[in-house]
Amino acid sequence: MDAVREKLKEIEDQYNGITEELMSEEVVSNPSKLTKLSKQQAHLSQSVEAWHSLKELDERIGQAEEMLKEDDEELKEMAKAEIEECEPKREELLEHIQKLLIPRDPDDDHDVIMEIRGGAGGDEGNIFAGDLYRMYTRFAESRGWKVSVMEANPSEAGGFSQIIFSIRGDEVYRNLKYESGVHRVQRVPKTEAQGRIHTSTATVLCQMEVEAEDVEIDPKDLTIETHRASGAGGQHINKTDSAVRIVHVPTGITVNCQEGRSQIENRETAMRLIRSRVYEEYKRRKEEEEGKIRRAKIGTGDRSEKIRTYNYPQNRVTDHRIGLTITQLDRIMEGKLDGIIEGLLAEEEKRRLEEAAV
C-alpha cells in the first residue's frame, strides 16, 4: 500500500499548489480560471481528507504497536484494543481510497450546453421537448445550478421545436453527460379525441461548455454573417441585423443565434456554441482514430440512439442502456432525476473499476 500513500501525498501537494494559485493576483483577476481551479480543488478535497485520516490511523496503530513491546501488561491490553479498533477502520478507509483514486473523466467538472429538439410526432414531439426542458430545469434548480436560455424556437402548439440552454454549476457535465440521445414518450396527446396512446420523440444533445483556451479555433476558419432576426423578439427585431450566423469551415459546423437583444450578445452566444461543438467534433475524431468507443457500456452519446422511454399511462420511465425501470414518472418529470443519474454513474464507476483492475 506504499504506492497508495505516495499517490495521496502527490494529490495533497497538488491541492496545496492550487491553494497557492488561488491566492495569486493573476487567478483572482480571472473569473474563468478562478472557477476552474476551485472546481479542481473541490474534487481533490475528498482524497486529501482521506489521506489525513489514513495518516492519523497509521500513527495510532504505530504507537499501539510500540506499546506492545512494553513489559506492562495493562499497556499491552490497551494497545491490543487500540489496534483492534483502528485496523478495521483503516481497511475500510483504504477500500474507499481505492475508489477515489480511480481515474475520473477529466471533463466532469465542465458546465454544459444542452439542446432539445422536437422529433417524431409533430406537435406532440415539440410539446414533449418542452416537458424535457422543464424537467432538466427543475433538476438543475434542485442542485443549485444556473440555467440560461441561449436560443429558443417555441412551437405554436406548445413546447419547442428547438431550445438551447446552458447549465452552470458543480459537476454539471458529470451528472448530465449521459442524457444525449432519443427520448421517447408514450401518452395520449391533448389533441387526440379517441383517447389513443401515441408515441413521439424528442432528441437531447448535451455537450461540455469549453473556454477559448480549451480548443484552438483559427479566426480565419470562421465565416461570420449578420442578418435580420425572424420571429418573436421585440420591436427592433426586423429593423437591425442583430442575428449572427457563424460557420466553422473545416468541420462545416454552423450555428445561428438571434435570441439576444443585440448583435454583440448573439455573437458571444454563437461563439460559445461553436467552441463546444468544434471541441466535441475534434474529440470524436481523435477517439475514432485511437479506436476508442466512448462510454461503450452506457452509450455513445449519439443523438440517434434511443436511450429512454417515458410511459405516461403506466407512470413508468425505462432507461434502456442500463435496464433501469422506475414507476415514478410524475416525480421524474418534476426534476427528480437522481435515481436515474445515480444508476448511470454507478455503471460508469463499475466500468472504471474493471479498467483499473486490468
Side-chain angles (χ1 to χ4, degrees):
M1 284 295 173
D2 287 342
V4 170
R5 289 172 172 79
E6 286 177 16
K7 181 64 179 175
L8 289 169
K9 181 65 174 68
E10 288 176 16
I11 290 172
E12 183 179 39
D13 291 342
Q14 186 181 352
Y15 181 91
N16 293 334
I18 292 174
T19 300
E20 289 183 15
E21 276 192 84
L22 286 170
M23 291 187 290
S24 71
E25 188 176 335
E26 179 191 349
V27 172
V28 171
S29 60
N30 186 333
S32 175
K33 197 166 186 179
L34 182 66
T35 300
K36 195 172 185 177
L37 285 172
S38 297
K39 287 182 177 181
Q40 286 179 13
Q41 189 182 55
H43 170 64
L44 296 175
S45 64
Q46 286 188 61
S47 296
V48 173
E49 289 170 10
W51 171 225
H52 291 164
S53 298
L54 181 61
K55 285 195 291 185
E56 183 185 337
L57 287 170
D58 283 343
E59 187 176 344
R60 286 173 63 183
I61 291 171
Q63 290 174 349
E65 287 174 343
E66 286 299 314
M67 288 168 62
L68 285 175
K69 298 174 184 178
E70 301 290 334
D71 293 330
D72 190 320
E73 290 300 321
E74 188 175 346
L75 278 178
K76 285 184 178 181
E77 287 301 315
M78 288 173 61
K80 286 178 183 177
E82 179 77 348
I83 290 171
E84 286 175 4
E85 178 188 345
C86 290
E87 283 193 335
K89 288 182 180 179
R90 183 166 67 176
E91 289 302 312
E92 186 178 337
L93 181 59
L94 283 168
E95 189 176 327
H96 173 62
I97 287 170
Q98 291 280 13
K99 290 184 178 180
L100 289 177
L101 295 182
I102 295 169
R104 72 199 294 264
D105 187 338
D107 298 328
D108 278 353
D109 288 328
H110 280 77
D111 298 323
V112 305
I113 293 176
M114 296 191 78
E115 178 183 350
I116 305 176
R117 290 184 183 179
D123 288 343
E124 177 63 12
N126 293 338
I127 292 169
F128 181 49
D131 294 338
L132 290 177
Y133 168 67
R134 182 174 179 273
M135 177 185 77
Y136 289 124
T137 300
R138 291 292 179 90
F139 178 64
E141 288 171 355
S142 73
R143 295 294 180 98
W145 299 339
K146 182 181 178 182
V147 179
S148 300
V149 174
M150 301 172 77
E151 278 292 304
N153 296 317
S155 169
E156 290 184 9
F160 303 93
S161 59
Q162 179 191 44
I163 183 165
I164 303 172
F165 54 101
S166 66
I167 304 181
R168 292 178 168 174
D170 185 35
E171 293 192 327
V172 181
Y173 187 69
R174 176 176 184 264
N175 286 274
L176 295 176
K177 60 186 171 183
Y178 297 121
E179 293 305 299
S180 293
V182 176
H183 294 241
R184 182 174 68 173
V185 63
Q186 295 172 330
R187 63 185 177 189
V188 179
K190 294 176 182 176
T191 55
E192 171 56 56
Q194 305 295 325
R196 292 173 298 187
I197 296 172
H198 286 224
T199 297
S200 305
T201 65
T203 60
V204 174
L205 184 63
C206 178
Q207 296 182 320
M208 291 181 297
E209 177 153 14
V210 298
E211 301 299 330
E213 60 265 25
D214 294 326
V215 57
E216 188 176 340
I217 297 179
D218 189 334
K220 295 176 183 176
D221 290 336
L222 298 177
T223 299
I224 302 175
E225 302 171 352
T226 59
H227 60 96
R228 293 189 180 182
S230 59
Q235 291 181 353
H236 77 293
I237 201 142
N238 291 317
K239 297 178 182 178
T240 62
D241 290 342
S242 60
V244 175
R245 181 184 296 109
I246 300 180
V247 180
H248 182 250
V249 178
T251 60
I253 293 171
T254 303
V255 299
N256 186 71
C257 293
Q258 63 176 37
E259 191 73 14
R261 303 291 293 182
S262 70
Q263 187 183 119
I264 294 173
E265 191 177 333
N266 284 324
R267 185 187 178 107
E268 183 183 333
T269 299
M271 281 305 302
R272 287 170 64 192
L273 289 170
I274 278 287
R275 280 198 296 267
S276 292
R277 293 180 183 178
V278 169
Y279 180 90
E280 281 286 332
E281 177 60 18
Y282 284 162
K283 183 179 178 184
R284 183 191 65 79
R285 291 180 183 183
K286 183 181 177 183
E287 288 173 344
E288 278 187 358
E289 288 172 8
E290 294 174 352
K292 292 181 179 178
I293 302 174
R294 286 176 62 198
R295 303 189 284 271
K297 288 196 174 181
I298 302 177
T300 62
D302 191 285
R303 185 180 233 139
S304 64
E305 179 185 10
K306 184 183 75 176
I307 64 167
R308 197 173 296 151
T309 296
Y310 303 72
N311 186 297
Y312 274 73
Q314 297 180 26
N315 197 35
R316 182 185 71 217
V317 176
T318 299
D319 193 288
H320 304 292
R321 297 162 296 179
I322 56 174
L324 175 67
T325 295
I326 299 176
T327 52
Q328 292 183 324
L329 172 61
D330 50 345
R331 285 174 50 80
I332 285 167
M333 297 310 294
E334 286 298 319
K336 304 294 192 299
L337 281 167
D338 302 82
I340 295 176
I341 301 295
E342 287 166 10
L344 291 163
L345 292 178
E347 189 65 32
E348 179 187 45
E349 184 179 295
K350 179 183 174 183
R351 174 174 61 83
R352 291 188 180 276
L353 278 168
E354 290 172 353
E355 290 174 353
V358 173

